[in-house]
Amino acid sequence: MKKDVTFKVKGKFANKYKSGYPLISKEAILNLNEVTKEGTIIRLVDEKNRFIAKGYFGKQNKGYGWVLSRNENEQIDQKFFVNKLRDAISYREPFFNSLDTNAFRIVNGEGDGLGGLTIEYFDGYYLINWYSKGIYNFREYIINALKELTEFKAIYQKKRFDVSGNYIEEDDFVAGERGTFPLIVKENGINFAVYLNESAMVGVFLDQRDVRKRIRDAYAKGKNVLNTFSYTGAFSVFAAVGGAVKTTSVDLANRSLSKTVEQFSLNGIDSDSQDIIVEDVFHYFKYAVKKQLVYDMVILDPPSFARSKRTIFSAEKDYKDLLKEAISITKDDGIIVASTNSSSFNMKKFKTFIDQAFRESNRKYQLVEEFSLPKDFKIIKEFPEGNYLKVVFIKNLP
Ligand code: SAH
């Protein structure tokens, strides 16, 4: 048995942990030892050595591990993980029962009491994301729990141990019978091609499900839609199915062209009638202004941070300017869908970027509606940072 390690929480942070904060962070711990072995059970105590919680050590971009239990006598063993997974799965029961959606998240890290771990479900296939070596140390328990509680076709995994969350390339197959890819999964009746064996990005980001549906059902009809940072074109497909007269998808990555064609064709849409452009979004904006192209709807869903040949984009620094570019090619009364998955700022701050962008563009706007994470991406109020997704529908007033 590995020996537990005790971390002492600094006075001013003790109450935060006592009331449920789950992330073990450097500034909160008096004796944090960076060479603690990954996966070691950590006892958090206050400065008077009173027990607060127990968790595990695991280095991630976010911190140094996660609280797992507030019960001093609870063992972090097979039973512990079975109980956690059982609760997580039963919380998603409405999703398992859905007739038109079979791709969703069943474990959302700290939201399900298992920081550093996510598990997604794709029509009988399960995909585990390990965000630290620490949590990966518990893999046998977690994989066994998944096997015990589910009828799986196969289990796949992604190791994202790199402190920046980067993906480590290797065979991702864990158990069951190897799938043939792409899997064709369904989301609100729309088909998506999913590749569990290629890279960290499997073809669809499930956290935008509600936004895609809303665009299809309430906004797209008759509209000319520009989808920037389009990846596999998920927003474009929903817009097209919702009756958009045309969609334009722009992404820098070469793969986006064939992947977007694939998504359209899986849904019976002729991709020749849509524009799919492999280009830097920032160049495309310049081109669109020069050609006087304007759109009824512009979707902005950039990564939090991206480096391209000529530009470095950081959502926190550059979102305002991105919005200004979008404003310049959005029709009067058109809609900008501004989305960010950056956890370095909250909705309030995001709205200040929006406000500044419209002011500096001498335009008026109206916030029409907002979205955050969907229900399967469970979050806890003690860790608001976990609610990273912010999506605002903005009307560009004349
Ligand atoms: N909106 C997508 C997900 C975006 S993922 C969806 O709903 O599925 C981020 C994408 O941004 C990646 O596909 C990446 O290739 C692209 N990207 C990053 N920087 C870019 C840039 N400067 N111009 C165009 N695309 C960019």
Side-chain angles (χ1 to χ4, degrees):
M1 277 278 292
K2 264 180 286 175
K3 248 183 86 55
D4 296 1
V5 166
T6 298
F7 280 176
K8 205 170 262 194
V9 175
K10 288 181 196 163
K12 64 170 178 170
F13 291 98
N15 276 337
K16 199 171 160 187
Y17 284 98
K18 282 176 185 164
S19 58
Y21 188 74
L23 179 64
I24 300 175
S25 64
K26 192 170 187 169
E27 71 271 15
I29 309 296
L30 275 167
N31 60 330
L32 187 122
N33 177 355
E34 296 203 14
V35 299
T36 305
K37 221 170 152 256
E38 293 274 333
T40 302
I41 297 293
I42 303 293
R43 292 177 74 248
L44 293 183
V45 299
D46 66 15
E47 292 198 42
K48 293 188 174 135
N49 284 319
R50 287 175 301 205
F51 175 84
I52 301 177
K54 61 167 77 174
Y56 73 90
F57 188 84
K59 276 189 224 170
Q60 241 183 279
N61 57 342
K62 292 179 178 164
Y64 286 82
W66 295 92
V67 169
L68 294 172
S69 175
R70 277 155 215 294
N71 173 354
E72 188 159 18
N73 299 318
E74 184 164 30
Q75 294 304 309
I76 308 305
D77 55 10
Q78 185 64 69
K79 194 171 124 229
F80 171 86
F81 286 101
V82 169
N83 287 339
K84 285 284 183 226
L85 255 71
R86 186 185 292 114
D87 287 352
I89 289 169
S90 87
Y91 179 82
R92 276 79 178 180
E93 204 164 295
F95 287 91
F96 281 102
N97 292 332
S98 165
L99 295 177
D100 57 7
T101 297
N102 58 20
F104 49 90
R105 185 165 280 201
I106 66 153
V107 173
N108 190 43
E110 71 288 346
D112 287 287
L114 295 170
L117 173 77
T118 67
I119 307 180
E120 287 175 341
Y121 174 87
F122 296 98
D123 189 23
Y125 290 80
Y126 288 83
L127 177 66
I128 307 174
N129 276 290
W130 311 101
Y131 284 92
S132 71
K133 285 185 188 143
I135 192 69
Y136 187 64
N137 256 294
F138 297 100
R139 65 188 170 280
E140 255 180 65
Y141 289 153
I142 292 164
I143 291 166
N144 284 342
L146 196 55
K147 287 179 176 170
E148 182 182 323
L149 296 167
T150 66
E151 286 172 37
F152 59 94
K153 293 176 188 157
I155 301 171
Y156 281 75
Q157 67 179 356
K158 307 286 173 193
K159 297 180 191 169
R160 307 169 83 143
F161 300 163
D162 189 299
V163 282
S164 54
N166 286 337
Y167 164 69
I168 298 170
E169 200 85 36
E170 60 179 75
D171 186 15
D172 295 326
F173 175 74
V174 178
E177 211 167 298
R178 279 178 192 272
T180 40
F181 299 109
L183 304 175
I184 310 302
V185 302
K186 266 191 308 186
E187 178 186 285
N188 291 309
I190 304 274
N191 296 320
F192 280 135
V194 167
Y195 296 80
L196 299 183
N197 59 338
E198 277 190 355
S199 78
M201 308 215 296
V202 300
V204 56
F205 290 99
L206 300 175
D207 55 3
Q208 297 279 12
R209 182 189 308 112
D210 296 345
V211 182
R212 287 190 280 266
K213 182 172 190 300
R214 190 76 183 137
I215 288 173
R216 179 190 65 188
D217 297 348
Y219 287 89
K221 199 163 195 302
K223 299 292 159 61
N224 186 10
V225 178
L226 174 65
N227 178 15
T228 63
F229 307 93
S230 56
Y231 183 42
T232 58
F235 284 121
S236 309
V237 172
F238 269 73
V241 173
V245 286
K246 195 172 121 192
T247 67
T248 303
S249 306
V250 183
D251 195 292
L252 192 63
N254 285 322
R255 62 165 187 240
S256 66
L257 176 58
S258 59
K259 299 264 186 199
T260 304
V261 168
E262 180 178 38
Q263 305 291 29
F264 276 124
S265 66
L266 282 175
N267 292 286
I269 298 158
D270 178 8
S271 57
D272 290 343
S273 57
Q274 313 293 328
D275 279 346
I276 306 167
I277 298 168
V278 176
E279 199 187 355
D280 191 314
V281 160
F282 298 95
H283 296 173
Y284 187 77
F285 282 126
K286 302 271 174 297
Y287 165 84
V289 168
K290 205 163 78 194
K291 297 277 172 187
Q292 296 183 317
L293 303 178
V294 280
Y295 296 90
D296 300 303
M297 174 173 253
V298 177
I299 300 167
L300 303 173
D301 182 29
S304 300
F305 190 84
R307 191 186 297 268
S308 67
K309 269 188 207 122
R310 268 186 257 168
T311 49
I312 294 180
F313 176 83
S314 139
E316 194 170 9
K317 288 209 196 83
D318 304 319
Y319 212 108
K320 183 199 73 181
D321 290 336
L322 177 64
L323 277 160
K324 285 168 79 175
E325 304 268 18
I327 293 165
S328 71
I329 58 167
T330 302
K331 281 187 198 162
D332 286 355
D333 284 322
I335 297 284
I336 296 172
V337 178
S339 170
T340 180
N341 59 9
S342 173
S343 45
S344 58
F345 55 91
N346 61 17
M347 183 60 112
K348 200 169 160 215
K349 180 99 179 269
F350 192 35
K351 285 184 181 167
T352 67
F353 298 159
I354 295 169
D355 192 64
Q356 281 166 7
F358 276 88
R359 272 171 200 279
E360 289 176 21
S361 307
N362 274 320
R363 301 284 314 187
K364 290 198 165 39
Y365 68 98
Q366 183 193 342
L367 300 179
V368 185
E369 55 181 313
E370 288 170 29
F371 286 83
S372 57
L373 287 173
K375 194 140 187 279
D376 50 326
F377 284 62
K378 193 171 182 227
I379 48 168
I380 47 170
K381 62 177 185 321
E382 295 83 1
F383 193 66
E385 307 92 303
N387 192 2
Y388 59 85
L389 185 68
K390 296 164 276 293
V391 184
V392 185
F393 285 56
I394 313 158
K395 189 182 253 188
N396 182 27
L397 295 177

